Amino acid sequence: MAERAPFVITAQTALEADGDEATRVASLFASRIRPATGFPLVVSAPSLATNSIRLLLRPDRTDLGEEGYELSVHPDSVRIVAHGAAGLYYGAQTLRQLLPAEIESDIRVGRPWGIPSLTIRDVPRFAWRGAMLDVARHFFTVDEVKQYIDILAMYKMNRLHLHLADDQGWRIEIRSRPLLTERGAVTEVAGRPSGGGFYTQQDYAEIVRYAQERFVTVVPEIDMPGHINAALVAYPELACSRRPPAPYTGIDVGWSAICVDSAGSYALIDDVVREIAAITPGSWFHMGGDEVQTLTPAQYTGFVQRVQEIVARHGKTPVGWEEIIEAPLQPGTIAQLWRVDSLRHPLAPGVRMLMSPGRHTYLDMKYDASTEPGLHWAGYVDVRDTYDWDPATYLRGVGEDRIVGVEAPIWSETLRNISAVEYLAVPRIPALAEVGWSAQGSRAWEDFRSRLAAQAPRWRFLGINYYRSSQIPW
Ligand code: TNX
C-alpha cells in the first residue's frame, strides 16, 4: 500500500486556535518554528481552509485527561485535539519532533518541512514528571534556569523543583528577613567569597512565569532542619550551638541544624514559607528534611510535624525527602524517595511517593569513571540505568497507585555553569521523561536507544551540551 503523502509546512500555512489558551500555545509553537522556516505562520481563529495546523480544546475529550492529546497529520492539514491546554502544548512538542531536525535552527534553513501522515493518541502515565536543580551549592542565573526549563518542556516534563537553600547559600529574597540573602547568599561551593547570588522575588516570579507558559510547575524547596547553615550565618541566634556559624563552602552534609526547640525558628520558617507561598502558584512546598545527623529522632519528627502545619496553613501541600515518613504525615503529603530500596514502615494513609532513586535518576552521578563533573556515591548511572526500570516495582508495597511520578535531581556541588548541568542532564532527561510518560509495557530499551540517537542533531542546533554515551548508536 502506498504511503500517504506528508503534510508540508509552507509560507502559506496558517496556524489556527480557538480561545486564549490554545492561541497562546499556537503562538509559542509558531515562534519556535519561525526562525528556521522563515515563514510568517500567523495565528488566527479556526476556519475551514486547508494547509493549516489547528489546535483545538475539546471539553468532551475527558478521556485525554489534562495532559493528553491526539495528533493527526493529513496531507492537507494537521490537527491537535486536547482536553487541557497542557495537552495541546505536548501535542505541539510531538509535532516539533516529527519535523526535520533543522527546525531547531535559529537561522533560516532552505529545505522542505514535511511531517509524515499519522495519528497519535498520547496520555502520560504519571502526573509528576520532574527535575530538580540545586541552585544552592552553585548559583544559576534566571537565564540559565530558563535554558534548563526549555529542555524539560521539550520532553514534556512538568515540574521544576528548585533547591533554594542549603549550607552553602540562601538563594531567594525574603523581604521580612533581609539578612538571609544579605549574608547568606554571598557564598557557594569552592570559595568565591563573593560568588553565589540569589533571586529577587521578581526574578523568581519571572522563572515561575516562564515555566508556567511551558506547563512546568515550579516547586520551591527550603531544606530544613538540616542543610541550613546559610540561614544560620544570617541569624546565628537560631543555631543551638554556642559558636556562631561560619560561612561554608565545602561539600560535607548532615552537620548543620536549625534549633528545633526555639520559637524563633518557627517564626522564621513561617515568614519564609508565607512569602514563598505567596509568589508560587503551584500547589507544593518542599520542606527538605534529609540527612539530619545532629538531632534525636523525636526532635526530628516533632520538627517535621510543626513545619507541615506551617506549610498547610499557607495553602500548600508539603513535599519532603524520604526521611519525613518517620513523622506522622497528613494525607496528601508527598515523600521523595532517593536512597532506600525498602521501607522500614508502611506509608501513612494518603501519603504518596515521588520516585528519585539515586542509581537511576540522580543526574549528578557520573556516567562512568571517566566523566569529569559529578559524584558517584550512588554508582555510575549511564543512560540505560535511567531508562530501564519500573517505578511501580522498585519498592515492595509501593505500587503504581501510591506513586505520583518520577523526578531527576541534579545536585550542583561540582557544577559551576549550565553547560555542565546540560552535559549531565542530556540524554538522561529524555530517558527519564519517557519513564514518566509512557506505559511500562510500551517501553523497550533497544527501540529507545535508536530514537534517542535521532535527537542529537536537534541538541546540536539548540546548542545543548550533551554526553555521547557509548550505549547509544549516534
Ligand atoms: C545527597 S539527595 C543529598 C544532597 C547531596 C547529594 C549529592 C539528598 C536528599 N541529599 O545534599 O547534594 O546527595 O548527590
Side-chain angles (χ1 to χ4, degrees):
M1 206 165 69
E3 269 187 42
R4 283 206 296 162
F7 176 82
V8 181
I9 300 183
T10 65
Q12 285 72 44
T13 302
L15 273 168
E16 299 184 354
D18 60 344
D20 289 352
E21 282 188 296
T23 301
R24 261 200 304 278
V25 173
S27 305
L28 217 52
F29 178 66
S31 59
R32 178 66 255 169
I33 70 170
R34 230 174 250 133
T37 59
F39 301 151
L41 300 165
V42 179
V43 180
S44 60
S47 73
L48 295 172
T50 56
N51 195 1
S52 68
I53 301 174
R54 230 162 258 150
L55 278 69
L56 304 170
L57 279 176
R58 282 283 155 80
D60 60 316
R61 291 302 304 271
T62 50
D63 61 301
L64 295 171
E66 283 314 290
E67 296 187 306
Y69 64 90
E70 214 168 69
L71 166 67
S72 41
V73 181
H74 311 279
D76 63 355
S77 68
V78 174
R79 219 166 62 118
I80 304 173
V81 167
H83 184 254
L88 291 182
Y89 184 78
Y90 298 139
Q93 295 309 312
T94 296
L95 192 57
R96 177 179 168 191
Q97 286 184 23
L98 289 168
L99 280 156
E102 290 87 345
I103 199 66
E104 307 297 347
S105 168
D106 272 339
I107 50 174
R108 203 171 114 84
V109 180
R111 61 152 296 154
W113 300 103
I115 309 167
S117 276
L118 49 69
T119 304
I120 295 174
R121 182 187 183 275
D122 204 10
V123 177
R125 176 182 182 186
F126 291 114
W128 189 302
R129 305 176 304 280
M132 188 213 80
L133 183 61
D134 173 7
V135 298
R137 271 54 175 273
H138 281 102
F139 181 66
F140 297 93
T141 64
V142 172
D143 282 340
E144 288 177 315
V145 175
K146 286 182 177 176
Q147 262 175 268
Y148 201 49
I149 292 170
D150 286 342
I151 296 172
L152 304 180
M154 183 174 174
Y155 293 106
K156 309 185 180 83
M157 295 186 76
N158 65 359
R159 304 278 185 269
L160 174 65
H161 164 182
L162 288 175
H163 185 75
L164 289 167
D166 211 302
D167 292 321
Q168 300 86 347
W170 184 281
R171 307 294 180 213
I172 175 93
E173 172 193 20
I174 303 297
R175 289 176 184 161
S176 59
R177 303 282 182 157
L179 297 183
L180 285 172
T181 44
E182 255 168 60
R183 296 192 185 152
V186 294
T187 41
E188 60 184 0
V189 167
R192 295 220 276 168
S194 62
F198 68 93
Y199 307 119
T200 63
Q201 293 200 1
Q202 225 176 339
D203 290 338
Y204 178 83
E206 172 59 14
I207 292 171
V208 166
R209 185 203 61 77
Y210 188 88
Q212 213 169 15
E213 200 172 60
R214 290 157 182 77
F215 299 91
V216 172
T217 301
V218 170
V219 179
E221 177 189 355
I222 298 295
D223 204 348
M224 53 191 150
H227 289 277
I228 194 100
N229 186 68
L232 303 180
V233 169
Y235 295 99
E237 64 276 20
L238 300 182
C240 279
S241 63
R242 253 167 273 138
R243 248 203 278 153
Y248 184 68
T249 57
I251 64 168
D252 286 344
V253 295
W255 51 274
S256 67
I258 195 168
C259 193
V260 297
D261 302 317
S262 144
S265 296
Y266 299 98
L268 175 108
I269 292 166
D270 194 85
D271 285 338
V272 168
V273 176
R274 174 173 31 78
E275 289 198 28
I276 295 176
I279 51 175
T280 301
S283 312
W284 301 278
F285 185 96
H286 199 305
M287 57 188 273
D290 58 315
E291 299 181 311
V292 186
Q293 286 162 19
T294 62
L295 302 175
T296 66
Q299 281 181 313
Y300 175 77
T301 55
F303 176 85
V304 168
Q305 273 184 280
R306 287 191 68 168
V307 175
Q308 85 176 340
E309 280 160 26
I310 293 172
V311 170
R313 185 150 21 87
H314 294 297
K316 299 296 175 194
T317 298
V319 185
W321 296 105
E322 66 188 26
E323 288 95 325
I324 66 166
I325 68 174
E326 288 150 33
L329 300 176
Q330 296 300 318
T333 302
I334 294 171
Q336 185 168 11
L337 174 136
W338 63 279
R339 189 169 49 180
V340 297
D341 44 27
S342 65
L343 289 187
R344 268 177 295 162
H345 42 115
L347 291 179
V351 173
R352 296 207 292 162
M353 294 209 90
L354 174 58
M355 304 298 280
S356 300
R359 63 174 195 266
H360 297 295
T361 71
Y362 265 42
L363 303 187
D364 60 315
M365 294 301 113
K366 293 172 184 283
Y367 292 99
D368 66 21
S370 67
T371 310
E372 259 198 58
L375 305 172
H376 61 108
W377 64 262
Y380 298 117
V381 178
D382 210 327
V383 187
R384 184 169 188 167
D385 300 298
T386 304
Y387 185 80
D388 223 354
W389 64 292
D390 181 0
T393 56
Y394 186 82
L395 261 192
R396 192 182 297 276
V398 182
E400 189 106 6
D401 58 325
R402 301 303 302 265
I403 295 171
V404 292
V406 291
E407 187 171 289
I410 194 156
W411 300 95
S412 62
E413 285 94 332
T414 65
L415 310 176
R416 269 171 294 145
N417 52 54
I418 203 69
S419 167
V421 169
E422 286 177 352
Y423 181 74
L424 292 176
V426 185
R428 288 181 291 192
I429 280 285
L432 193 74
E434 188 157 308
V435 174
W437 187 285
S438 300
Q440 190 66 24
S442 67
R443 298 201 288 118
W445 165 250
E446 286 305 325
D447 169 59
F448 176 74
R449 53 198 284 272
S450 43
R451 285 185 288 113
L452 186 65
Q455 296 293 302
R458 291 166 196 272
W459 303 331
R460 289 195 287 272
F461 276 113
L462 291 165
I464 295 171
N465 186 22
Y466 68 96
Y467 170 62
R468 288 156 186 76
S469 168
S470 61
Q471 298 184 325
I472 310 300
W474 304 112

